[in-house]
């Protein structure tokens, strides 16, 4: 997996940072997560090809998470896009986008396929041949979801020298990699474990957008390879975090620790703080393997 931070500021863009947007590459498939103002400009700056984005996931309907969407869609049209575009987000997103297209007489020449979310329980919202996406119900001032992206399980690795040793015909190789045993002509059964090795461990990435501290997400994201969790405030403003239904860096670290994730990435920083390293310094007291999001920063895991 490869994660590119397009924007990580809370609420408003600044001269040095954009509102929330990320691009995740999973097994050569690219998805856009949230689409704050200025996303398409930042995508160009990061040399990300628009044509590779076929799925967009919007966490909630606060402007700093989707105000860049209509502009991106319009640019797709100007670039003569033909492929379908799948957009996942809260109910109401379709109405907002279609009204803008209607009043500006800017209908797309490609299909916009909206998948509106309403459930307050976690559910699988996309099953792709390369990955799965599961919603993560969050607790914010409006209906909000995070998203868990998981690789599809890979095939087992064929031990070719073992297959040759037993003189197994190549026609059986595909089945072997899927976990099947082999029956030789004399009736001998060769267990699959003798012919294969375990595939690489399935990787997963949890994106937890705006939310107050809630341990209800821990079972959903348990063992994730990497977790992005909002950390709008430092501990000195913990009361403000509760009031606005956001999270502090330390609270995000506790979620990472309880979920036993591999890496915690902090983001959605309030611009009241002059140095975003302050967030990392607070979080590592609870969860050591913590990094901070930064525009144009790339994580590979």
């Amino acid at each position: 997996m490869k994660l590119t931070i397009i924007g990580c500021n809370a609420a408003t863009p600044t001269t040095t940072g954009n509102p929330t947007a990320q691009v995740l590459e999973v097994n050569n498939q690219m998805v856009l997560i949230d689409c704050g103002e200025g996303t398409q400009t930042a995508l160009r700056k990061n040399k990300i090809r628009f044509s590779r984005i076929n799925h967009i996931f919007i966490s909630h309907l606060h402007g700093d998470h989707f105000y860049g969407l209509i502009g991106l869609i319009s640019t797709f049209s100007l670039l003569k896009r033909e492929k379908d575009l799948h957009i996942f987000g809260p109910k109401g997103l379709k109405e907002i986008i279609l009204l803008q297209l209607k009043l500006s007489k800017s209908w797309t020449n490609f299909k916009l396929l909206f998948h509106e979310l309403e459930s307050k329980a976690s559910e699988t919202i996309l099953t792709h041949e390369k990955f799965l996406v599961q919603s993560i119900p969050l607790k914010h001032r409006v209906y909000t979801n995070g998203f868990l992206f998981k690789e599809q399980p890979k095939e087992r690795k064929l031990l070719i020298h073992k297959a040759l040793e037993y003189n197994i015909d190549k026609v059986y190789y595909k089945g072997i990699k899927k976990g099947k045993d082999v029956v030789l002509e004399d009736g001998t059964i060769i267990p699959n474990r003798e012919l294969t090795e375990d595939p690489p461990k399935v990787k997963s990435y949890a994106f937890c957008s705006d939310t107050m501290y809630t341990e209800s997400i821990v079972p959903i994201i348990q063992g994730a390879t990497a977790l992005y969790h909002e950390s709008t405030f430092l501990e000195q403003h913990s009361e403000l975090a509760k009031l606005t239904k956001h999270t502090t860096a330390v609270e995000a670290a506790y979620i990472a620790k309880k979920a036993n994730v591999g890496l915690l990435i902090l983001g959605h920083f309030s611009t009241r703080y002059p140095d975003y390293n302050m967030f990392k310094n607070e979080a590592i007291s609870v969860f050591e393997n913590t990094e901070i999001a930064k525009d144009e920063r790339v994580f590979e895991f």
Side-chain angles (χ1 to χ4, degrees):
M1 289 188 171
K2 179 180 178 181
L3 176 70
T4 303
I5 305 297
I6 303 301
C8 61
N9 274 5
T12 61
T14 66
T15 56
T16 58
N18 294 309
T20 303
Q22 302 181 359
V23 169
L24 180 68
E25 191 170 344
V26 188
N27 292 329
N28 207 36
Q29 299 296 311
M30 192 172 278
V31 303
L32 176 65
I33 311 169
D34 275 349
C35 190
E37 183 182 349
T39 292
Q40 61 173 315
T41 303
L43 289 173
R44 290 191 182 280
K45 193 174 182 180
N46 284 273
K47 295 182 171 55
I48 292 171
R49 290 171 56 193
F50 289 2
S51 61
R52 293 191 60 196
I53 297 173
N54 298 315
H55 299 85
I56 299 176
F57 298 84
I58 302 297
S59 61
H60 64 295
L61 297 182
H62 279 163
D64 55 328
H65 295 262
F66 84 100
Y67 277 173
L69 183 56
I70 186 62
L72 183 62
I73 290 172
S74 297
T75 296
F76 282 170
S77 281
L78 292 172
L79 295 176
K80 307 299 182 186
R81 181 188 178 99
E82 296 180 354
K83 289 188 296 183
D84 297 350
L85 181 65
H86 293 264
I87 302 174
F88 297 78
K91 185 171 182 175
L93 180 61
K94 178 179 180 180
E95 181 182 357
I96 293 169
I97 297 300
L98 292 186
L99 179 61
Q100 291 174 300
L101 293 173
K102 175 184 176 182
L103 295 180
S104 64
K105 294 182 172 58
S106 302
W107 297 112
T108 64
N109 53 346
F110 57 91
K111 286 185 180 178
L112 278 175
L113 303 174
F114 289 91
H115 308 267
E116 293 193 303
L117 308 176
E118 298 182 80
S119 176
K120 293 183 179 180
S122 179
E123 58 182 348
T124 299
I125 58 175
L126 175 63
T127 302
H128 187 276
E129 62 176 338
K130 298 289 187 178
F131 60 95
L132 298 170
V133 185
Q134 184 178 350
S135 63
I136 306 172
L138 300 174
K139 294 184 179 180
H140 192 41
R141 301 191 303 278
V142 296
Y143 175 75
T144 306
N145 283 298
F147 304 103
L148 178 66
F149 300 85
K150 295 182 69 173
E151 293 179 320
Q152 288 282 19
K154 294 181 172 62
E155 293 182 333
R156 299 184 64 79
K157 182 180 179 181
L158 175 66
L159 299 175
I160 190 66
H161 67 283
K162 283 290 186 179
L164 294 174
E165 180 183 322
Y166 286 108
N167 199 28
I168 296 172
D169 194 289
K170 290 181 180 179
V171 72
Y172 295 107
Y173 286 4
K174 188 173 182 179
I176 294 171
K177 288 191 284 187
K178 291 184 180 297
K180 293 182 179 180
D181 297 336
V182 174
V183 181
L184 300 180
E185 290 185 3
D186 63 3
T188 303
I189 298 176
I190 310 299
N192 186 269
R193 64 179 178 271
E194 289 190 23
L195 301 170
T196 62
E197 289 180 348
D198 291 339
K201 184 179 178 181
V202 169
K203 295 177 182 177
S204 59
Y205 172 63
F207 171 86
C208 291
S209 173
D210 298 17
T211 183
M212 62 188 296
Y213 178 82
T214 174
E215 295 182 5
S216 63
I217 68 175
V218 169
I220 304 170
I221 66 174
Q222 188 68 38
T225 309
L227 163 66
Y228 169 89
H229 198 292
E230 75 119 285
S231 55
T232 308
F233 297 103
L234 297 175
E235 279 303 291
Q236 62 181 301
H237 295 118
S238 59
E239 289 305 313
L240 187 54
K242 290 184 177 68
L243 180 65
T244 58
K245 294 192 175 180
H246 280 294
T247 309
T248 67
V250 168
E251 288 175 328
Y254 275 116
I255 292 294
K257 184 176 182 179
K258 290 177 183 294
N260 193 32
V261 303
L263 169 68
L264 170 64
I265 304 170
L266 300 176
H268 200 263
F269 306 120
S270 168
T271 54
R272 62 169 36 84
Y273 303 108
D275 182 4
Y276 294 162
N277 284 305
M278 299 164 69
F279 291 85
K280 180 177 178 179
N281 293 339
E282 287 200 351
I284 59 175
S285 64
V286 175
F287 189 81
E288 186 173 355
N289 196 19
T290 298
E291 296 293 340
I292 57 170
K294 184 178 180 182
D295 287 25
E296 301 183 45
R297 187 169 184 184
V298 175
F299 297 88
E300 295 193 46
F301 41 83

